[in-house]
Amino acid sequence: MTGILPWVILFVPLLAALSITLLTLRHRALSAGLSIGAICVSFVGSLLIWISFDGGSVQYSTPWLSVGGLHVDLGLLLDSLSVTMLLVVTGVGALIHIYSYGYMAEDPGMPRYFAGLSFFTFSMLGVVLSNNFVQLFIFWELVGVSSYLLIGFWYDRPTAADAGKKAFLTNRLGDFGFLLGIILVWTTIGSLNFGEIEATMRANPEIFGSLASIAGLLVFCGALGKSAQFPLHVWLPDAMEGPTPVSALIHAATMVAAGIYMLSRVFFLFNETALLVIAWIGGVTALLAAVIAIQQDDIKRILAYSTLSQLGYMVMAVGVMDPTAGMYHLTTHASFKALLFLGAGAVIHAMHHEQNIWKMGGLRRAMPVTYWMFLIATLAICGVPPFSGFFSKESILAAALEHNAILFGVGAGVAALTAFYMFRLVYAVFIGPPKSNAAEYAHEVPGVMKWPQVLLGVPSLLAGFWGIEHFIGQSFASASAHHAAAWHWQILSPFSHAPLAAFFGLGLIGFGIAAAYAFYGNAVRDPLPDEMGRLSTAIRERLYLDEAYTAMIRYSHEVLALIADWIDRWVISGMLVRGSQWGTDLAGRLLRMAQTGNVQTYALFLVVAVVVVLWFVLKR
Amino acid sequence: MIGLEDYLTVSAILFSIGVVGVVMRRNLFIILMSLELILNAANLAMVAFSRFSNNIDGQMMVFFIITVAAAEVAVGLALLVALYRRRQTAYTEDLTNMKL
C-alpha cells in the first residue's frame, strides 16, 4: 500500500492533464473538477505519507534504461525533504487550483488552463520525488515546459508570448550548465542515484580532485536558472504576464523553489569554494531584487521582485551551509508568498485587471478579508514575530552571521528593504486614499477566491510553531543543533539562539516599516522619484539590466553575424562554390584546345602518350 | 652473321617511318599506307623473335595479322574512297567536322 501511494500521488495529476486535453476541453466545470480533484487526491496521499513517515529515507525504484555503463532508474525517494516539498506543492497547489476556478471563471481557455496546471503539478511532483539526476533533469525540463505554457497562456498577447519565450530560453541557459554538471558527476562517480553519490562522496571526499568546485557550480547553474538568481533572474518579473494564480503557484511558491530544493538535495556535492560563490550570488540577488522592488508600480512585479529577493535569501542559506534554514524559508515562503499573490489576484480581479498600485487605494474597507490576509502575509514576509517568516528568516540570518559577517549585513539590509517595499505596497493599495474610480467601487471577491486565502493565512501565521525546521533537519546530518521545542519556547528560540542576529534584524525591519509609513502613509503618488531623481529612474528601469542583456545579445549577434557573413561570402560562396566552378571552367577551356578535330593531332597525342608510358615502364 | 638485333633495328626503323608518316603526312591514303608500314614492322619483329627463339607461334600469328590487315585495308580503302567522293578531298585538315 505505502509502496504504491507515491506513484499515485505522482501520476494522478498527469492523468487529469491528459484526460482534460484529450476529452473534456469543451466542458469547463468538468475540467476544473478533474484538475482540482487530482491535486486533492495527491494532497491527501501526501498527508497519509506524512502521517506514516518515520524520519528515514525510503526509495521505490524500477530499472528504466541501461545503456553501456549508464543505468537510469525510474525511482521515487521519500525522506523528510521530499515529504515536506510534497506537502507544500500539493497543499499550496490545491488551494491555488480552487482559487483559480474563481479567478479564471470568465476566461474561455479555462480547461486548457487547468490542463496546464495539472501538468505542472505532475512535473513538479516528479522533481520532488526523483531519486536520481536523470529523472530529476527530465522533470526539471518538464517543469520548464509547463511554466512556458502557463506564462504564455494568453498567447494572443505579444508580451505574454515573449515572456514565455524569455523564461524558457533563460532557463535553458542554466540547464545547459546543469546537464554538464550531471555528466561530470556521472563520469566521475559512475552513478546517478543521489544516495549512491552521497555514499561515494562520504567515503572519498576528494573524488572530484581539482574539479570539485566546477562540478558544484555547474550543478548550481540549474538552480541559477530555475530559481532565477542573478544574472539569470531577468525572466521571473516578465513571467508575471501569466494569470495571477500561475504566478502564485509556479513563480512564487513551488517551481522557483525547485532550485533551492535541488541544492539541498545534492548539498553534499558542494565544497567550500562553490558554497562561497553560491552564498554571494544569493546575497547579491536578494539585495538587487529588493532595491528594484522599491520603485516598481505594478503590484505583481513588486511581488515578483520580492520573490527574487527571498529566493536569494534561500540560496544564501544554502551557501552558508545551512540548507535546513533555506528549506525552512522555502516552506514558509511558499505559503505567505502564495497568499500575497492570491491577495494581489483578488485585488486585480476587483479592480478589473488594473495592476498599477497608484490607481488603487482604500481597499481595506471594500475587501476586508483580502486586506487582513494580505497583511498577515506581509508581516510574515517582513519577518515580524510571531509570523512564520520571522523564524525562517532569523535562522538564515543566524547562519549567515556565523559564517560571513558581510553577508549577514546584506541579509539584514534586505530585511529592512523588504519591510519598506512591502508596506509601501500595503499603504498604497489598502490603506491610503483611493486613487481611481475603480478603487472606490471595488467589491470583495467571491468565496471560491476568499477561502483559499484564509486557509493559506493559517500556515503564514503559524508555520513557525510546527517544528518544520526539525522535520527537515532529519535529512541533514549536521542538523542536530535544531531541537524541537514547545511552541512558546520556539518563539523565543531565535533570541536565545542568535540574539544579535534576531535583535539587529528586528530593529531594521521596524525601521523599514517606519520609513514606509513616513513616505507612503497618505501618499497619493510616489514621492521618491522627486527626492532621489535619477537614481529612482534607474531603479524603476530595473537598473537597466534587461537593456544591458539586450544590447549584449544584439552586439554579440552582430559580431557573430559579421563573422558568419564573411565565412559565407569568402569561404563557402567564394572559395568552395565559385572556386570549384572556376576551376572546372578553366580545365574545360584548356582541354578544349586539345580537341582540334584533326585526326593527326590525336595520333600525335597517342604517340606521345605511348612514349611517355614506355619511358615510365622501361625506365627501371 | 645477321643477328636478332639487325632484324629488330630494321623493324624499329620501319615503325618509326610509319609513325612519322601517320603524324606528318596530310593525305589520308598515305596515312593508311603508313599504318600498314607500322603493322608490317610489328610483323617483322614478331617473325624475327619467332625464328630466334625456335617458337613457331609468332609466325602463325603473323599470318593471321596479314589476313586481318588485308581485310582492314579493303574496308579502310573503301571508306576513304567513299569519303573522297563525298567531300572531294583527302587532306586531314579539311576533315575536322568532329570538332565541337
Side-chain angles (χ1 to χ4, degrees), chain A residues 166-497:
Chain A
K166 185 172 178 181
F168 194 76
L169 292 177
T170 316
N171 267 304
R172 279 300 311 155
L173 211 59
D175 293 345
F176 186 66
F178 188 27
L179 189 59
L180 288 181
I182 292 175
I183 292 172
L184 183 57
V185 168
W186 178 66
T187 48
T188 313
I189 294 187
S191 170
L192 290 160
N193 186 293
F194 295 133
E196 287 169 24
I197 296 173
E198 187 172 11
T200 317
M201 293 282 295
R202 200 148 282 165
N204 182 5
E206 297 298 317
I207 188 165
F208 278 105
S210 56
L211 287 176
S213 311
I214 294 177
L217 288 177
L218 280 176
V219 170
F220 175 61
C221 277
L224 207 64
K226 200 62 88 201
S227 286
Q229 295 299 296
F230 179 79
L232 295 185
H233 65 281
V234 287
W235 67 268
L236 187 59
D238 287 24
M240 297 301 133
E241 290 291 341
T244 307
V246 166
S247 309
L249 179 61
I250 302 184
H251 305 114
T254 55
M255 182 187 97
V256 289
I260 318 296
Y261 173 75
M262 189 269 284
L263 291 182
S264 310
R265 172 62 77 207
V266 298
F267 184 65
F268 47 84
L269 270 180
F270 304 115
N271 66 355
E272 296 261 328
T273 323
L275 283 176
L276 190 68
V277 175
I278 292 173
W280 273 105
I281 286 184
V284 167
T285 309
L287 187 62
L288 196 77
V291 168
I292 296 176
I294 291 176
Q295 280 293 294
Q296 297 300 309
D297 290 335
D298 183 317
I299 184 167
K300 285 181 72 180
R301 280 190 181 254
I302 298 175
L303 294 180
Y305 279 106
S306 92
T307 306
L308 277 179
S309 172
Q310 302 301 314
L311 287 168
Y313 262 123
M314 299 175 209
V315 169
M316 189 171 87
V318 174
V320 295
M321 296 180 202
D322 197 353
T324 313
M327 283 299 292
Y328 187 21
H329 198 55
L330 189 167
T331 319
T332 55
H333 174 259
S335 61
F336 61 67
K337 184 50 66 64
L339 178 51
L340 284 174
F341 267 108
L342 294 195
V347 168
I348 294 168
H349 192 76
M351 298 285 299
H352 306 294
H353 293 273
E354 175 61 59
Q355 300 196 0
N356 189 337
I357 58 169
W358 297 108
K359 296 196 173 149
M360 302 175 181
L363 294 177
R364 179 178 46 153
R365 276 176 300 279
M367 310 171 72
V369 177
T370 304
Y371 167 63
W372 283 109
M373 290 304 136
F374 202 88
L375 191 62
I376 287 177
T378 305
L379 290 169
I381 197 177
C382 294
V384 176
F387 297 91
S388 59
F390 166 69
F391 299 96
S392 50
K393 200 177 272 190
E394 288 308 326
S395 59
I396 292 178
L397 288 181
L401 184 60
E402 238 172 81
H403 283 90
N404 193 330
I406 307 173
L407 275 177
F408 168 74
V410 171
V414 172
L417 289 173
T418 307
F420 181 72
Y421 67 71
M422 282 314 296
F423 273 89
R424 167 179 183 259
L425 176 61
V426 170
Y427 282 124
V429 174
F430 289 102
I431 298 177
K435 293 171 269 286
S436 71
N437 277 337
E440 286 177 43
Y441 299 111
H443 289 288
E444 183 65 284
V445 287
V448 68
M449 291 169 73
K450 192 161 66 184
W451 291 108
Q453 295 188 52
V454 177
L455 286 176
L456 271 175
V458 176
S460 302
L461 183 58
L462 298 176
F465 304 113
W466 293 348
I468 297 172
E469 193 170 22
H470 177 68
F471 185 75
I472 298 168
Q474 292 167 336
S475 285
F476 299 100
S478 60
S480 54
H482 306 292
H483 299 290
W487 69 269
H488 53 276
W489 285 114
Q490 282 193 4
I491 190 171
L492 296 174
S493 69
F495 295 101
S496 60
H497 182 58

Side-chain angles (χ1 to χ4, degrees), chain A residues 12-241:
Chain A
V12 164
L14 177 66
L15 211 61
L18 284 180
S19 47
I20 292 172
T21 316
L22 296 178
L23 302 173
T24 67
L25 269 182
R26 289 167 194 281
H27 307 280
R28 300 166 57 82
L30 184 59
S31 303
L34 270 175
S35 179
I36 294 172
I39 193 157
C40 287
V41 167
S42 293
F43 180 54
V44 172
S46 308
L47 277 180
L48 288 176
I49 284 183
W50 175 63
I51 289 168
S52 60
F53 183 68
D54 59 357
S57 159
V58 197
Q59 289 191 34
Y60 308 99
S61 63
T62 161
W64 176 39
L65 65 87
S66 178
V67 186
L70 177 71
H71 302 284
V72 182
D73 287 347
L74 186 63
L76 304 185
L77 169 64
L78 286 180
D79 61 0
S80 63
L81 270 183
S82 54
V83 171
T84 313
M85 281 300 283
L86 269 187
L87 289 172
V88 170
V89 173
T90 55
V92 175
L95 291 174
I96 292 173
H97 274 64
I98 295 168
Y99 177 94
S100 299
Y101 185 60
Y103 191 84
M104 304 299 286
E106 282 146 34
D107 197 290
M110 193 168 87
R112 185 165 58 86
Y113 170 84
F114 273 104
L117 221 50
S118 278
F119 183 63
F120 165 76
T121 310
F122 162 69
S123 326
M124 188 66 207
L125 290 172
V127 169
V128 169
L129 288 168
S130 290
N131 74 338
N132 63 67
F133 259 128
V134 169
Q135 194 187 338
L136 177 77
F137 188 76
I138 292 170
F139 280 108
W140 189 265
E141 293 296 321
L142 283 181
V143 164
V145 171
S146 47
S147 158
Y148 167 78
L149 290 175
L150 287 168
I151 295 172
F153 176 71
W154 287 311
Y155 54 82
D156 45 3
R157 288 188 197 166
T159 49
D162 287 347
K165 259 183 280 176
K166 185 172 178 181
F168 194 76
L169 292 177
T170 316
N171 267 304
R172 279 300 311 155
L173 211 59
D175 293 345
F176 186 66
F178 188 27
L179 189 59
L180 288 181
I182 292 175
I183 292 172
L184 183 57
V185 168
W186 178 66
T187 48
T188 313
I189 294 187
S191 170
L192 290 160
N193 186 293
F194 295 133
E196 287 169 24
I197 296 173
E198 187 172 11
T200 317
M201 293 282 295
R202 200 148 282 165
N204 182 5
E206 297 298 317
I207 188 165
F208 278 105
S210 56
L211 287 176
S213 311
I214 294 177
L217 288 177
L218 280 176
V219 170
F220 175 61
C221 277
L224 207 64
K226 200 62 88 201
S227 286
Q229 295 299 296
F230 179 79
L232 295 185
H233 65 281
V234 287
W235 67 268
L236 187 59
D238 287 24
M240 297 301 133
E241 290 291 341

Side-chain angles (χ1 to χ4, degrees), chain A residues 592 595-600 602-604 607, chain B residues 19 22-25 31 92 95-96 99-100:
Chain A
R592 194 167 152 189
Q595 196 196 18
T596 56
N598 191 332
V599 184
Q600 278 180 304
Y602 304 150
L604 182 64
V607 170
Chain B
V19 167
V22 167
V23 173
M24 309 269 284
R25 300 303 297 263
I31 290 176
T92 51
L95 296 167
T96 56
K99 187 179 174 182
L100 208 64

